[in-house]
Each structure stands twice: as C-alpha cells, then as structure tokens.
Amino acid sequence: MSEVQNQKPEKKPIIFSGIQPSGTLTLGNYIGALRNFSKLQDEYDCIYSIVDMHAITVRQNPAELRRRCMELAAIYIASGIDPKKSLIYCQSHVPGHAELSWILNCFTYMGELQRMTQYKDKAAKHADNINAGLFTYPVLMAADILLYQTNLVPVGVDQKQHLELCRDIAQRFNGVYGDVFTIPEGYIPKVGAKVMSLQEPTRKMSKSDPEDTYVALLDDPDTIRRKIKRAVTDSDGEIRYDPENKPGVSNLLSIMSALGAGTLEELQNELAGQGYGTLKARTTDCVIATLEPLQAEFKRLIADKAYLQGVLDENARTANYLANKTLRKVQKKVGFASRG
Ligand code: AQP
C-alpha cells in the first residue's frame, strides 16, 4: 500500500454551539453567533444544536416551541450550514445532554452558579418562575459542549462567563479522573460580540424582549426600516464610535461593521459630518442586504417540513452516537455499574 493510501484522514477539531428556540432570532444572535457557524464548517467538524431544553427554563407555549425548533433548523440551513457537513439536531433528541448534565451538577458548586450574571438577569426578568433549571442552565451548557469533546465554541460575549465555568468544571473532573474532557476555547467575534438593544442601547439585544428592541432575522424590509429609524441615539449629532458615551450610535456603527460595511474607523471617517438619518439609512441598507438572501432561502426550506424532519432525525442519530462515546466513558469513570 502506498504511503498516501495508508494515511488516515486527518481528524478535524470540533466546534459546538447552540441557539435557543425561545423566540424569533435577532440580529444579535446572527452577528454574535450564527454568521460564523457556516464559515467554520470546512476547517472543523461542526455540531449546531437547537437547544430546546435550555428554552424551557423560561415558560414556553408548547405549539410555538415545536414550530420554532423547525424554523431554527431552516434558519441554520438558510444561513449556509450544510447539514451533510455539519450536524443540526434538537438537544432533546439526544438524551446524553441531560445525563451528562446530571453528573456535572455533582461537580459544580452552588457559589459558582450564584455568580452567573445571566441567571441574575433572567431571575429578575422572570421573578414569578425562578426555577432550578434556570439556575443550573450553565451546567447543561457545559454538558452540551463537553459531550462532543469540543475544541471551539463560537458564541457572543454574553456567554463568556458560562464558557469559563464549563472549562472549570471540565478541569475539575479531569483533575479527579484523568483526561476525560477536551478543554474548549471560545470563539468570540471582535466586532459585534454584543449587539445592543435598539431602544436601550446599554442592554444587549435579546429575542425575548419587546419587539421594537430588536431586528428579527425574518423581519420584512419595511419593519427593519421602521425599527432602525426609531432606534435610540443621543442629542449631540456626531457620528463617533464611543460605546460608553454614545451607546446607540456605536451600536449602529458596529452592526454595519460586523456586516462587512467597513472597519469602525472607515465608517466613522466616511460618515463624519453627516446626520443620524444617514447613519440609520446606511445601517438599514446593510441589514436588509444581509437578511434578504437568508429570508428567501428560509421561505423555501420552511415549506418542506419533510426535508427538515429528515435532517433532524438523521443528524440526531449521529449526535447520539458521538454523545454516547463520551457519556459511557464518564459513567465508567464515576463508577456507575457496567451494562451487561
Ligand atoms: N445581543 C447579542 N449580541 C451578540 N451575540 C448574541 N447572542 C445572543 N444575543 C446576542 C448570541 O447568540 C447565541 C444564541 O443565544 P441563545 O439563544 O442561546 O441565548 P441568549 O444568549 O440568552 O440569547 P437571547 O437572544 O438573549 O435569548 P433569550 O432572550 O431567550 O435569553 C449565543 O451564542 C449568544 O452569545
């Protein structure tokens, strides 16, 4: 056998990320996470989950949640993820996530979870439903990532704290049982890692906030124009990137920059001396130009439910296979009885 024939195909590093089907995806989800997903699929083995188990930490309407899972599968594919190259599946179809999460709960301290800012924010937002799932959300997220021996996790900056906790849990577990888990790194974009709310630009844009605070990926051009036109800016009239003092203007500049309109410096120079009307119109054009092809593809895909279901079913089988490899190893390490 020749040397070339003898070589095994090189194993690619692994990427895992997930998005909650907890609302209509926003421009924040797109810029902070989704737009990077398809770019990474040639260099990495990518696993993109629809994290429906995370979504129920906040009360969901069952029919809507089911519909949004299918929509998110269509959005993933419409954004350029190829389900033949990358795995797209629902978290709840792979029981290993919940099983590993339980084990990792026993390696996570209450104090660590109490420090999580997302927990504090969401507990304040949903004061009538501060459930244990909301509290242990970061442990489930650690299980999602560690289950696949992930090397890299593309996320927005809001998930950095959870990712650091995931690394701590993995290191703690490895410290006791040997090198069971790969320690993952974050992949956080330089521009657009935190897209801010259009109405309160000191807070992040979130899909579960009121409609006028975000641009939804499926908003039509008129809605996008109206929402950006009403975006909160300031009264000094100068187009300058200064997130501390000019959060609204800076947010629009960084959205444009993240969508490829130029560096922040180039945009500031180009727009210097112009009014906020021009800034908003330019931002609107960038957003519409980015979303139009994605929306067209989404419409085509969502009409073919049988295809989407087929993708989810087939990829869940592969995800289960991969997840069980890690899970069995972990179960053995902690001393669970062997199976006959
Ligand atoms: N505003 C944002 N800017 C940049 N990235 C963002 N992400 C979310 N909001 C922004 C990134 O999107 C990915 C998916 O997020 P998620 O759905 O898992 O949960 P989230 O971070 O809690 O997003 P939302 O929109 O705020 O959802 P709700 O309102 O349901 O809590 C993540 O990589 C996240 O970093």
Side-chain angles (χ1 to χ4, degrees), residues 232-256:
V232 168
T233 48
D234 52 53
S235 54
D236 80 6
E238 191 190 350
I239 299 179
R240 178 164 49 87
Y241 184 75
D242 177 355
E244 197 137 309
N245 299 304
K246 299 173 67 65
V249 169
S250 305
N251 192 31
L252 297 180
L253 284 170
S254 64
I255 288 173
M256 279 171 70

Side-chain angles (χ1 to χ4, degrees), residues 126-293:
H126 305 278
D128 56 333
N129 182 23
I130 306 177
N131 59 72
L134 199 58
F135 189 62
T136 58
Y137 178 116
V139 186
L140 178 58
M141 177 166 156
D144 301 339
I145 295 166
L146 301 177
L147 203 46
Y148 298 99
Q149 305 294 347
T150 302
N151 300 94
L152 207 61
V153 186
V155 280
V157 80
D158 60 315
Q159 294 298 336
K160 198 168 170 225
Q161 197 185 28
H162 288 168
L163 196 59
E164 275 159 14
L165 178 61
C166 168
R167 288 166 56 90
D168 289 346
I169 297 171
Q171 270 154 352
R172 187 171 303 143
F173 193 94
N174 285 357
V176 179
Y177 300 108
D179 278 344
V180 177
F181 294 125
T182 303
I183 309 298
E185 302 284 338
Y187 179 98
I188 295 173
K190 285 198 176 67
V191 183
K194 193 172 185 185
V195 178
M196 309 310 268
S197 155
L198 296 178
Q199 290 303 314
E200 270 184 86
T202 49
R203 295 185 39 187
K204 94 164 177 151
M205 182 182 279
S206 255
K207 59 174 120 56
S208 48
D209 280 348
E211 259 239 52
D212 58 342
T213 64
Y214 61 79
V215 171
L217 292 196
L218 302 178
D219 276 346
D220 59 51
D222 283 347
T223 309
I224 297 173
R225 199 164 289 115
R226 179 173 43 79
K227 285 181 177 175
I228 295 181
K229 203 169 180 181
R230 288 190 192 155
V232 168
T233 48
D234 52 53
S235 54
D236 80 6
E238 191 190 350
I239 299 179
R240 178 164 49 87
Y241 184 75
D242 177 355
E244 197 137 309
N245 299 304
K246 299 173 67 65
V249 169
S250 305
N251 192 31
L252 297 180
L253 284 170
S254 64
I255 288 173
M256 279 171 70
S257 179
L259 297 182
T263 63
L264 291 169
E265 207 181 347
E266 284 164 355
L267 290 170
Q268 278 183 114
N269 293 338
E270 199 182 311
L271 292 165
Q274 311 219 37
Y276 290 165
T278 308
L279 170 67
K280 288 180 173 180
R282 284 284 311 277
T283 310
T284 304
D285 291 345
C286 282
V287 173
I288 292 174
T290 304
L291 297 187
E292 252 172 1

Side-chain angles (χ1 to χ4, degrees), residues 17-23 25-34 37 51 118 122 125 137 154-159 192-196 204-209:
S17 197
I19 297 185
Q20 297 182 76
S22 49
L25 253 60
T26 71
L27 194 59
N29 299 131
Y30 178 78
I31 291 178
L34 186 62
F37 289 3
V51 289
Q118 179 174 296
K122 288 209 169 168
K125 254 196 209 172
Y137 178 116
V155 280
V157 80
D158 60 315
Q159 294 298 336
K194 193 172 185 185
V195 178
M196 309 310 268
K204 94 164 177 151
M205 182 182 279
S206 255
K207 59 174 120 56
S208 48
D209 280 348

